[in-house]
Amino acid sequence: MTTVERPPTRRAEEIDNDQHPVGHGRMLRKEDPRFVRGRGRYTDDVRLPGMLHMAILRSPVAHARIVSVDTSAAEAHPGVRAVITGEALAAQGLAWMPTLSNDVQAVLATDKVRFQGQEVACVVADDRYAARDALELIDVEYDILPPVVDARHALDADAPVIRDDLEGKADNHCFDWEAGDAAATDAVFADADVVVSQDVVYPRVHPAPMETCGCVADFDPVEGRLTLWSTSQAPHAHRTLYALVAGLPEHKIRVISPDIGGGFGNKVPIYPGYVCAIVGSLLTGKPVKWMEDRSENLTSTGFARDYIMRGEIAATKDGKILALRTNVLADHGAFNGTAAPVKYPAGFFGVFTGSYDLKAAYCHMTAVYTNKAPGGVAYACSFRITEAVYLVERLVSRLAAELGQDPARLRLANFIRPDQFPYATPTGWVYDSGDYAATLREAMRIAGYDDLRAEQARRRERGELMGIGVSTFTEAVGAGPRKHMDILGLGMADGCDLRVHPTGKAVVRLSVQSQGQGHETTFAQIVGEELGISPDDIDVVHGDTDNTPFGLGTYGSRSTPVSGAAAALVARKVRDKARVIASAMLEVAPDDLEWVKGSFQVAGDPGRSVTIQEIAMRAHGAGDLPEGVEGSLDAQITYNPPNLTYPNGAYICVVDVDPGTAQVRVRRFVAVDDCGTRINPMIIEGQVHGGLADGLGMALMEIIAFDPEGNCLGGSLMDYLIPTALETPDWETGFTVTPSPHHPIGAKGVGESATVGSPAAIVNAVIDALAPYGITGLDMPLTPSRVWEAMQGHPTPPI
Amino acid sequence: MQVTMTVNGTGVTREVEPRLLLVHFLRDDLGLTGTHWGCDTSNCGTCVVWMDDEPVKSCTVLAAMADGHRIRTVEGLAQADGTLDPVQEGFMRCHGLQCGFCTPGMMMTARALLDRTPHPDEAEIRAAISGQICRCTGYATIVRSVQWAADHADGAATAGPPSADAEDLGHAGEARDAVPETTGEERHATAGSTS
Ligand code: FES
Ligand code: FES
């Protein structure tokens, strides 16, 4: 059931939850006092006695055979402790490492370099500056090879083979993947009144968190113990991988993710730099710090998107959508570094059927290797749902334009209805709940949709270019059910430990890791709500493999759907134990007790009750405990999600395009999200705001492009443009609430919703604005030059 | 070479390489890690500190260029007794930060803006922080945080532990009183009650 709640007023937004000291609600963040004092502790803030610094030499070219690497001058440079090459790593069996998609990736290149920016050698020195200086002294001779830059030509018969390291590999084919029923879809298309097709390119972009990637590796040769502080969104999975790669026993590895300066998926993979720093520490017996610079971050770490798509939509002439058919060419770069569950090489692209009730759908995808940086799932994409939503939402708006129908009303007429849930899509996903029409109607109400359309008509008469774009989406988050989803064989579950101290204060230990999402607050609220303890009395421990239970980490908006469920259930386990102790304290049967937030009461006798704090003291106190109770109020759990959760949203964007300069200005952006039960509305809105800015960046500014030689053209923040306060509007947010039926508290996750949903709303708005020019399609990023050329009738080819 | 400067009110003298960046001097030599580093091209602003009374990008200033100047970092934003600057309070109340990486730079710029323009409008706030990037918040809450600080210039500050930090440079300290700068002491002098 969906309830439509009004967004809080600006005044209310400023108020912390003094009124709601326990549980869910707007509450100021527990982590902020340290951050506003400059006392956050990020990886680069870690300083250990005797610590050395590492820098990495990277390939200046996209594709070349390595003829020789001469490190003698670098080794002789003052302050240099070690120079490591691929050859040296190969001698230890460490030159290659597995990626998260069962491919392999070079740690340091031995045979060839396969993208510009690839790691070739590294220097460990006394300070950052000496390490950098020594890089200049390494002499590498390259035998340049022709690069594969355009994915469309990667499978040409005469294309150079990039991955000749793979046995028998004679082409650049990475994988093929399909979803849905091709024959059934073709049959629906054959009979449809209307078929509209659209080429859609989602260019390569980069998450570019403000903190780049890095680590401090500290190997203690006496204990045989490795401690690694690293910018990792998944410390437990990383630890297991290091154990497998480096052959170190897993119990002797401790991975610590301290405060992280933004992740957005960029900090999910293991990068060669981490492995090199570990090797550097093994070699020198000293702690080694590696922090990449911004151009290293942009040119070599996990990119996102890079899908070249063709979509077709079949409908009746009055606008009933019948089927979708799509073909995708996916550019995976030089190594398949996608961080998605292994059975999902295309991530969750299979949800490209969106929020619509369809008869059939089919997708075929071909993925290729190119001479570009590896990656593929990053930047808050929910495992490729960003690409899927962008495709279907562009198609549906295009269909509305072709039919002369309003794009919002066409959507309302085609949504899956609330009574159809759980809803099985033609590509095999089972959506849990939602009331998509209610969400869109709320967005239309906030936006004043009909007034906007009237205003647009008036402005059009005056020659002004105002556009209104609509995008509605269904997300699939909280990966995932163990039987379908794993990463390198590790099931995607999360553990949670809860300990209640004798005085009733608690500490909860999580397997997920915050990169700014506010876990120390949200998880304290989840446990607080379940136990009736103030969140201020609950400490949240995360990001340290020695001090937290195993789990797969934070990405794909999975923290609340998976770890949040674990936190609620572990608290309920504690409560069950507390009930037994309370029954002894009150001398009644456990079943005669009622839980009233924070205490157990004798049913029908509210005068007789004990608080959770009193029970905690009793659980640790002297004297007999009830039969079967060992003492303490601790519990541990591993949560295996039975299904994904499916948040949804409806976004409306208003743009003005300057007819003289083709500059696009986002005048308004209305985002209504339904992420089920809302734990901390302030944090949720913050997540939505951030995702909207990401979406605006991708729609209007951000692209990692390459020249024909494979040189990266987005290697600095001067070239890779990220929105500032000047381009972004004052976001307008609203919400509906449809709890997930299978999540213990009904929460669905929200971290990526806005990144997933917003680009299509902005692009649809610009296309709508340019309707007088007969423009029906435009590819991101909608820079002034790209829009201008389209207005002149000579659109720039996409990427 | 030797450099001498005042950092958060305390004089420091150090031997440095001539090419050492101020951001590295503050972080690595003085241990003031509240100032961050986020790019190679002076675009991100995570490194903003004050040189004398002007916000500067400390990645674009050599330690040598700061010789003889007054530097103020995020560790010197709160009062010596730990009472937060209204800007710090505003960022906490209005959710102006998520990962916190851009936050010190944003707050230093905001403080400088408010000292010059106590009641900026939204456009002025957006212009003031336009040389800085936040990847998490989408900026609207940062704007609100600065507005909150403007509206609570003389109160609502939260007391807290003194931000004692590396080498005692972590707070403005008494020594800062000697520095003729517009850091808002007058306002703090009357601050005290919490809202
Ligand atoms: S570090 Fe990016 S502007 Fe200074
Ligand atoms: S809060 Fe993360 S970059 Fe601004």
Side-chain angles (χ1 to χ4, degrees):
Chain A
M1 200 198 115
T2 297
T3 51
V4 178
E5 298 180 32
R6 296 286 174 252
T9 64
R10 280 286 282 271
R11 174 84 193 110
E13 283 176 23
E14 294 175 358
I15 298 171
D16 61 322
N17 81 341
D18 288 344
Q19 299 88 338
H20 313 278
V22 174
H24 302 171
R26 191 167 293 267
M27 171 179 161
L28 299 192
R29 300 201 320 168
K30 288 159 65 95
E31 40 276 269
D32 287 353
R34 70 170 182 275
F35 287 135
V36 299
R37 288 173 172 85
R39 295 168 69 95
R41 188 166 155 90
Y42 303 88
T43 298
D44 198 22
D45 302 344
V46 173
R47 221 171 21 156
L48 302 177
M51 188 173 77
L52 305 174
H53 293 261
M54 189 185 88
I56 295 177
L57 182 72
R58 294 174 181 278
S59 170
V61 294
H63 199 192
R65 198 158 293 286
I66 297 178
V67 179
S68 63
V69 182
D70 180 356
T71 60
S72 50
E75 277 160 32
H77 187 71
V80 169
R81 302 295 188 99
V83 181
I84 305 167
T85 61
E87 209 175 306
L89 289 185
Q92 321 261 350
L94 289 176
W96 293 84
M97 63 178 187
T99 69
L100 296 178
S101 331
N102 284 327
D103 193 357
V104 289
Q105 171 174 6
V107 177
L108 293 175
T110 46
D111 53 340
K112 286 205 305 189
V113 288
R114 293 175 170 83
F115 65 93
Q116 187 191 46
Q118 187 179 340
E119 299 78 2
V120 174
C122 63
V123 172
V124 180
D126 288 342
D127 66 72
R128 306 177 195 259
Y129 288 55
R132 287 269 157 168
D133 288 345
L135 290 186
E136 311 272 315
L137 302 173
I138 300 175
D139 195 12
V140 185
E141 192 184 333
Y142 295 102
D143 182 8
I144 309 281
L145 300 168
V148 178
V149 180
D150 185 345
R152 297 172 187 87
H153 295 297
L155 296 178
D156 289 358
D158 58 350
V161 177
I162 300 167
R163 296 301 303 279
D164 45 2
D165 59 296
L166 299 173
E167 184 99 7
K169 191 84 185 140
D171 59 22
N172 295 314
H173 182 254
C174 185
F175 64 82
D176 264 77
W177 171 87
E178 62 175 359
D181 184 334
T185 306
D186 289 349
V188 178
F189 267 85
D191 285 345
D193 303 340
V194 186
V195 172
V196 175
S197 64
Q198 177 74 51
D199 287 320
V200 173
V201 173
Y202 210 135
R204 177 177 282 234
V205 292
H206 198 279
M210 293 325 295
E211 177 202 34
T212 57
C213 301
C215 67
V216 177
D218 184 14
F219 182 72
D220 178 340
V222 178
E223 303 268 342
R225 202 177 155 76
L226 171 72
T227 307
L228 186 77
W229 286 262
S230 72
T231 51
S232 168
Q233 296 179 221
H236 288 279
H238 280 195
R239 182 187 57 184
T240 304
L241 227 72
Y242 292 128
L244 296 172
V245 174
L248 288 167
E250 196 169 0
H251 66 296
K252 296 279 194 188
I253 305 175
R254 177 182 185 187
V255 178
I256 300 173
S257 295
D259 286 327
I260 294 187
F264 318 108
N266 189 231
K267 292 166 179 171
V268 175
I270 288 187
Y271 294 119
Y274 302 150
V275 179
C276 289
I278 294 171
V279 172
S281 184
L282 286 167
L283 281 177
T284 59
K286 305 245 184 221
V288 172
K289 177 185 280 186
W290 166 67
M291 282 307 299
E292 65 187 6
D293 66 25
R294 177 56 63 188
S295 79
E296 295 180 281
N297 177 254
L298 288 169
T299 58
S300 74
T301 65
F303 72 93
R305 327 288 190 253
D306 224 344
Y307 270 19
I308 298 169
M309 304 182 271
R310 181 172 184 82
E312 295 173 280
I313 189 166
T316 65
K317 56 183 180 309
D318 51 2
K320 170 72 192 137
I321 303 172
L322 302 171
L324 283 165
R325 194 161 54 189
T326 153
N327 206 346
V328 180
L329 177 62
D331 184 340
H332 278 244
F335 307 103
N336 187 8
T338 298
V342 286
K343 286 185 203 131
Y344 298 81
F348 298 168
F349 189 81
V351 300
F352 70 95
T353 54
S355 311
Y356 309 105
D357 183 19
L358 303 180
K359 280 189 167 30
Y362 176 72
C363 172
H364 182 264
M365 179 180 297
T366 300
V368 296
Y369 290 117
T370 60
N371 288 111
K372 301 177 191 168
V377 164
Y379 204 178
C381 71
S382 292
F383 300 124
R384 302 285 193 189
I385 295 176
T386 326
E387 290 92 322
V389 164
Y390 182 65
L391 175 73
V392 63
E393 290 307 297
R394 285 279 311 275
L395 276 172
V396 170
S397 280
R398 175 81 201 277
L399 175 70
E402 294 292 325
L403 294 174
Q405 289 200 22
D406 179 88
R409 296 199 160 76
L410 181 89
R411 284 173 169 84
L412 286 171
N414 282 286
F415 282 145
I416 299 161
R417 296 184 318 272
D419 61 358
Q420 291 176 285
F421 291 95
Y423 178 84
T425 75
T427 46
W429 300 76
V430 181
Y431 293 180
D432 58 352
S433 64
D435 185 343
Y436 301 154
T439 310
L440 177 53
R441 284 206 191 90
E442 176 65 356
M444 293 167 76
R445 183 194 69 78
I446 295 172
Y449 188 77
D450 293 332
D451 293 345
L452 284 173
R453 286 288 174 202
E455 179 192 343
Q456 181 186 36
R458 287 196 303 277
R459 285 184 190 266
R460 266 200 188 149
E461 274 171 24
R462 298 202 295 264
E464 293 173 29
L465 302 176
M466 169 183 169
I468 303 161
V470 180
S471 163
T472 53
F473 64 90
T474 299
E475 264 263 69
V477 304
R482 212 183 264 273
K483 84 172 165 302
H484 307 298
M485 294 180 192
D486 67 273
I487 292 201
L488 289 184
L490 301 172
M492 299 189 77
D494 277 283
C496 190
D497 287 359
L498 178 60
R499 183 180 301 174
V500 184
H501 302 311
T503 56
K505 317 284 182 195
V507 54
V508 57
R509 298 170 194 278
L510 311 175
S511 56
V512 293
Q513 160 64 33
S514 173
Q515 310 117 44
Q517 296 93 333
H519 288 178
E520 290 165 41
T521 308
T522 299
F523 283 85
Q525 291 186 266
I526 293 173
V527 174
E529 173 81 15
E530 297 297 327
L531 284 188
I533 297 178
S534 165
D536 288 334
D537 290 342
I538 301 167
D539 222 19
V540 177
V541 176
H542 60 130
D544 179 349
T545 55
D546 267 12
N547 286 307
T548 57
F550 188 86
L552 278 221
T554 296
Y555 42 85
S557 299
R558 64 188 299 282
S559 289
T560 303
V562 187
S563 204
L569 292 178
V570 80
R572 288 178 195 173
K573 220 168 156 179
V574 164
R575 216 162 70 192
D576 290 345
K577 196 167 173 185
R579 177 187 290 269
V580 177
I581 299 171
S583 77
M585 292 169 78
L586 294 167
E587 297 177 334
V588 294
D591 288 348
D592 292 337
L593 291 174
E594 269 174 4
W595 173 252
V596 183
K597 209 167 177 180
S599 59
F600 277 107
Q601 271 175 20
V602 177
D605 187 0
R608 291 175 64 204
S609 71
V610 283
T611 65
I612 189 81
Q613 288 82 2
E614 289 163 341
I615 300 168
M617 187 55 90
R618 183 72 195 82
H620 290 89
D624 280 347
L625 286 165
E627 179 99 1
V629 175
E630 288 170 8
S632 91
L633 268 189
D634 303 350
Q636 197 275 336
I637 199 174
T638 298
Y639 180 72
N640 294 300
N643 187 8
L644 300 176
T645 59
Y646 294 84
N648 69 282
Y651 293 175
I652 296 174
C653 174
V654 182
V655 300
D656 296 300
V657 181
D658 186 320
T661 65
Q663 177 91 35
V664 174
R665 189 174 68 90
V666 175
R667 191 204 310 169
R668 288 183 65 194
F669 200 106
V670 174
V672 176
D673 276 277
D674 190 329
C675 58
T677 303
R678 292 157 65 84
I679 298 156
N680 185 327
M682 178 187 84
I683 287 177
I684 291 169
E685 277 159 36
Q687 297 271 291
V688 171
H689 282 194
L692 295 175
D694 288 350
L696 184 145
M698 292 183 291
L700 302 182
M701 306 160 77
E702 297 179 26
I703 181 168
I704 298 278
F706 293 83
D707 75 5
E709 271 76 55
N711 295 307
C712 178
L713 304 178
S716 82
L717 294 183
M718 290 213 268
D719 308 299
Y720 190 72
L721 302 180
I722 293 175
T724 72
L726 293 182
E727 293 85 16
T728 43
D730 191 11
W731 315 107
E732 299 168 64
T733 56
F735 55 92
T736 56
V737 177
T738 316
S740 169
H742 64 79
H743 188 280
I745 57 175
K748 289 184 170 183
V750 74
E752 297 162 319
S753 289
T755 318
V756 165
S758 58
I762 297 171
V763 175
N764 283 339
V766 176
I767 293 171
D768 184 47
L770 298 178
Y773 289 78
I775 289 171
T776 55
L778 266 178
D779 279 303
M780 300 188 287
L782 303 181
T783 57
S785 67
R786 212 179 258 273
V787 176
W788 174 257
E789 279 157 20
M791 286 163 72
Q792 306 314 306
H794 309 291
T796 329
I799 51 175
Chain B
M1 65 179 292
Q2 200 177 62
V3 293
T4 298
M5 65 187 85
T6 310
V7 178
N8 297 330
T10 305
V12 293
T13 299
R14 288 286 190 288
E15 216 31 67
V16 299
E17 270 197 70
R19 62 177 173 169
L20 183 70
L21 299 177
L22 180 60
V23 63
H24 288 147
F25 178 71
L26 294 169
R27 290 180 50 81
D28 295 346
D29 291 36
L30 303 186
L32 293 173
T33 53
T35 300
H36 297 143
W37 171 92
C39 74
D40 321 320
T41 48
S42 297
N43 289 102
C44 77
T46 58
C47 60
V48 168
V49 301
W50 286 16
M51 187 149 93
D52 299 330
D53 299 324
E54 280 299 314
V56 295
K57 288 178 170 170
S58 63
C59 69
T60 313
V61 175
L62 296 170
M65 292 158 72
D67 185 53
H69 291 276
R70 278 175 292 117
I71 302 299
R72 189 184 185 198
T73 70
V74 66
E75 289 91 346
L77 200 49
Q79 292 182 52
D81 67 359
T83 306
L84 292 183
D85 187 280
V87 167
Q88 291 170 301
E89 189 76 21
F91 270 71
M92 290 201 296
R93 288 190 173 257
C94 301
H95 196 28
L97 68 152
Q98 289 181 31
C99 77
F101 204 76
C102 71
T103 313
M106 290 286 181
M107 293 192 305
M108 295 312 287
T109 300
R111 180 73 267 153
L113 168 71
L114 294 177
D115 284 349
R116 269 197 323 272
T117 312
H119 296 287
D121 62 24
E122 180 177 338
E124 286 172 305
I125 297 171
R126 286 182 179 271
I129 59 169
S130 65
Q132 289 164 251
I133 298 172
C134 174
R135 203 59 160 153
C136 300
T137 65
Y139 304 102
T141 56
I142 294 182
V143 171
R144 288 174 209 168
S145 302
V146 180
Q147 285 167 337
W148 191 96
D151 292 346
H152 297 79
D154 55 358
T158 294
S163 348
D165 242 289
E167 309 195 25
D168 261 333
L169 301 169
H171 60 81
E174 293 90 285
R176 203 185 71 196
D177 296 341
V179 178
E181 59 180 351
T182 48
T183 52
E185 280 100 334
E186 298 85 351
R187 279 197 299 277
H188 293 153
T190 58
S193 65
T194 50
S195 63

